[in-house]
């Protein structure tokens, strides 16, 4: 059989496995485009987890109590771990950590737009935990059924920790809304600034999405951007109203016929500006990451030297 027929047969067999809900594992045959799409999405997910530590880490030294400080430290540490699980999942596709980090630093690889906004007050830490982690949970719960085994398994572990992240954020907002007028105003101001960027986390509308059709066919993506966004809006609006916050969308209205909230237009020009590097904090976020990466080079070198020594010892013994 000539090469073209072989790959056609392999593609058909591969798609039949996907359609049968089989998990694809690192050593299985997969179309090169499937592998590249996964490296793109998983690495950007990993970058998001790590860059996302910056806006929250910014408040660890300024948390209003020892308890809030401990909770925030635990959350930020969790996010670092999520990044590691996801980088490890991406590496099973034959790409190195160095390549992935390099693509982040050169801008060839994105991270979630939401993390390019500043965390201006303590209420932002509440809004990030509540809204950003809620949005992440909605997305990640569906990704637990993604077709690539290592990614699906990483999601199961990550989702368990995300619910704590969301709860602590919502608890901060609830506490502020039971507080003084200034505290209530601070919470509302945070919601006003984080609401729309949270909706942008789910990506462009389905008709504008470059990857969704193929990602859905390969069951990398299990639900569409708009479907996930709608679930997020439906739950977050009720949570906001339950503690007396007002969602900053004059077009927000419950639609009985649809059984969902209708909501206003997302500013996709802002979205495009932010994902092309011109958001409020893009440069700061990348500069901070590059600086930390450079400062940590000695740790990586020491670990590599130690591993090389261990390997040569094992060879001598063998
Ligand atoms: N921020 C940055 N880039 C975005 C984006 C966003 N919110 N939404 C979409 N994009 C990019 C896509 O990456 C793609 O660009 P690329 O070709 O250079 O990769 C382009 O916009 C077109 O978007 P598509 O919808 O076609 O892209 P996808 O099919 O990949 O869908 C996605 C976008 C829904 C974000 C999908 O990639 C996904 O589900 N990723 C996994 C989840 C994830 O990355 N979440 C980020 C947040 S992690 C987090 O919040 C951690 C929490 O613990 C705090």
């Amino acid at each position: 059989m000539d090469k073209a027929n072989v790959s056609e047969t392999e593609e058909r067999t591969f798609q039949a496995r996907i359609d049968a809900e089989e998990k694809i594992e690192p050593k299985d045959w997969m179309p090169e485009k499937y592998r590249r799409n996964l490296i793109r999405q998983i690495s950007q997910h990993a970058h998001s987890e790590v860059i996302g530590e910056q806006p929250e880490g910014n408040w660890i030294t300024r948390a209003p109590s020892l308890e809030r400080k401990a909770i925030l430290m635990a959350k930020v540490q969790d996010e670092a771990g999520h990044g590691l699980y996801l980088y490890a999942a991406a590496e099973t596709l034959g790409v190195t950590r160095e390549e992935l980090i390099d693509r982040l630093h050169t801008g060839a690889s994105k991270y979630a737009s939401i993390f390019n906004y500043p965390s201006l007050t303590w209420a932002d830490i509440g809004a990030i935990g509540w809204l950003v982690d809620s949005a992440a949970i909605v997305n990640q719960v569906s990704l637990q059924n993604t077709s690539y085994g290592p990614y699906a398994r990483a999601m199961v572990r990550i989702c368990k920790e995300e619910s704590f992240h969301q709860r602590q954020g919502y608890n901060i907002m609830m506490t502020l809304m039971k507080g003084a007028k200034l505290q209530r105003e601070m919470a509302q101001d945070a919601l006003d600034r984080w609401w729309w960027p949270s909706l942008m986390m789910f990506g462009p509308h389905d008709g504008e999405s470059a990857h969704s059709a193929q990602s859905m066919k390969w069951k990398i993506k299990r639900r569409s951007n708009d479907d996930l966004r709608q679930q997020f809006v439906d739950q977050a609006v009720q949570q906001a109203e339950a503690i007396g916050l007002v969602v900053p969308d004059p077009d927000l209205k419950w639609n009985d016929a649809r059984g969902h909230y209708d909501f206003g237009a997302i500013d996709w020009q802002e979205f495009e500006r932010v994902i092309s590097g011109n958001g409020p904090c893009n440069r700061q976020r990348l500069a901070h990451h590059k600086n930390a990466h450079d400062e940590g080079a000695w740790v990586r070198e020491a670990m590599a030297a130690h591993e090389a020594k261990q390997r040569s010892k094992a060879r001598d013994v063998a």
Side-chain angles (χ1 to χ4, degrees), residues 37 40-41 44-45 48-49 56 75 79 82 108 110-115 132-133 136 139-140 143 151 162 165 200-204 208-212 215 221 225 271 275:
N37 191 358
R40 175 194 66 84
Q41 176 163 330
Q44 293 183 161
H45 197 161
S48 304
E49 299 279 3
E56 292 181 307
K75 178 183 192 299
E79 307 299 7
H82 297 175
K110 295 183 172 72
Y111 57 89
S113 49
I114 189 86
F115 297 123
V132 176
D133 286 76
N139 184 317
Q140 291 168 168
L143 284 170
Y151 194 20
E162 293 291 12
H165 298 173
M200 295 174 196
M201 281 179 69
F202 296 94
E208 313 299 317
S209 164
H211 300 286
S212 284
S215 289
K221 233 180 202 180
N225 296 0
F271 173 76
I275 70 169

Side-chain angles (χ1 to χ4, degrees), residues 16-314:
R17 293 192 62 203
I18 295 283
D19 296 344
E21 292 291 340
E22 286 183 33
K23 283 288 177 261
I24 305 301
E25 298 298 336
K27 291 198 171 32
D28 293 346
W29 186 89
M30 61 183 83
E32 179 54 18
K33 283 187 181 159
Y34 176 85
R35 192 183 71 84
R36 277 209 305 272
N37 191 358
L38 278 170
I39 290 173
R40 175 194 66 84
Q41 176 163 330
I42 300 174
S43 62
Q44 293 183 161
H45 197 161
H47 298 331
S48 304
E49 299 279 3
V50 172
I51 298 281
E53 293 177 67
Q54 290 188 36
E56 292 181 307
N58 187 17
W59 278 87
I60 288 175
T61 56
R62 296 181 283 171
S65 71
L66 183 60
E67 189 199 11
R68 290 291 187 196
K69 183 192 190 100
I71 292 171
L72 184 56
M73 281 172 72
K75 178 183 192 299
V76 171
Q77 280 171 334
D78 282 351
E79 307 299 7
H82 297 175
L84 287 177
Y85 302 149
L86 289 163
Y87 283 128
E91 287 162 5
T92 63
L93 290 153
V95 64
T96 65
R97 184 74 57 91
E98 290 70 25
E99 284 171 304
L100 296 174
I101 300 300
D102 188 52
R103 287 181 197 171
L104 170 66
H105 288 171
T106 57
S109 196
K110 295 183 172 72
Y111 57 89
S113 49
I114 189 86
F115 297 123
N116 289 307
Y117 292 83
S119 49
L120 302 176
T121 72
W122 174 252
D124 286 42
I125 300 306
I128 293 172
W130 166 39
L131 295 173
V132 176
D133 286 76
S134 285
I137 291 170
V138 167
N139 184 317
Q140 291 168 168
V141 163
S142 76
L143 284 170
Q144 288 179 126
N145 298 312
T146 190
S147 56
Y148 187 57
Y151 194 20
R153 291 188 289 272
M155 283 296 100
V156 171
R157 173 74 187 266
I158 288 175
C159 284
K160 286 193 170 73
E161 294 173 343
E162 293 291 12
S163 38
F164 144 65
H165 298 173
Q166 189 270 354
R167 294 285 306 264
Q168 64 85 35
Y170 190 58
N171 181 267
I172 289 173
M173 298 302 267
M174 200 159 51
T175 306
L176 289 169
M177 288 307 285
K178 287 181 187 155
K181 182 170 174 300
L182 213 54
Q183 288 172 307
R184 296 197 300 275
E185 285 168 355
M186 188 164 71
Q188 183 61 56
D189 165 59
L191 174 58
D192 292 349
R193 285 181 288 108
W194 290 92
W195 176 256
W196 291 103
S198 299
L199 268 60
M200 295 174 196
M201 281 179 69
F202 296 94
H205 285 308
D206 296 345
E208 313 299 317
S209 164
H211 300 286
S212 284
Q214 186 59 64
S215 289
M216 295 286 271
K217 186 163 181 269
W218 279 331
K219 297 189 180 177
I220 292 174
K221 233 180 202 180
R222 301 310 305 260
R223 293 174 60 194
S224 78
N225 296 0
D226 285 326
D227 183 27
L228 292 169
R229 191 178 358 253
Q230 183 67 68
Q231 179 187 335
F232 168 76
V233 170
D234 289 349
Q235 65 189 40
V237 168
Q238 294 180 51
Q239 291 164 352
E241 288 173 356
I243 56 175
L245 283 166
V246 177
V247 172
D249 177 358
D251 298 320
L252 186 76
K253 192 164 154 298
W254 179 255
N255 182 324
D256 246 346
R258 285 196 329 121
H260 295 290
Y261 280 96
D262 293 335
F263 52 91
I266 294 170
D267 180 348
W268 293 112
Q269 286 180 340
E270 175 182 330
F271 173 76
E272 285 305 328
R273 254 197 327 275
V274 176
I275 70 169
S276 47
N278 301 310
C281 299
N282 294 59
R283 287 173 189 75
Q284 176 190 338
R285 297 287 184 246
L286 271 188
H288 181 95
H289 190 281
K290 284 176 187 164
N291 186 40
H293 189 69
D294 294 345
E295 283 186 351
W298 69 272
V299 177
R300 294 191 297 277
E301 284 151 21
M303 289 300 288
H306 173 71
E307 277 164 17
K309 200 164 164 215
Q310 293 302 91
R311 274 196 300 275
S312 75
K313 260 195 206 158

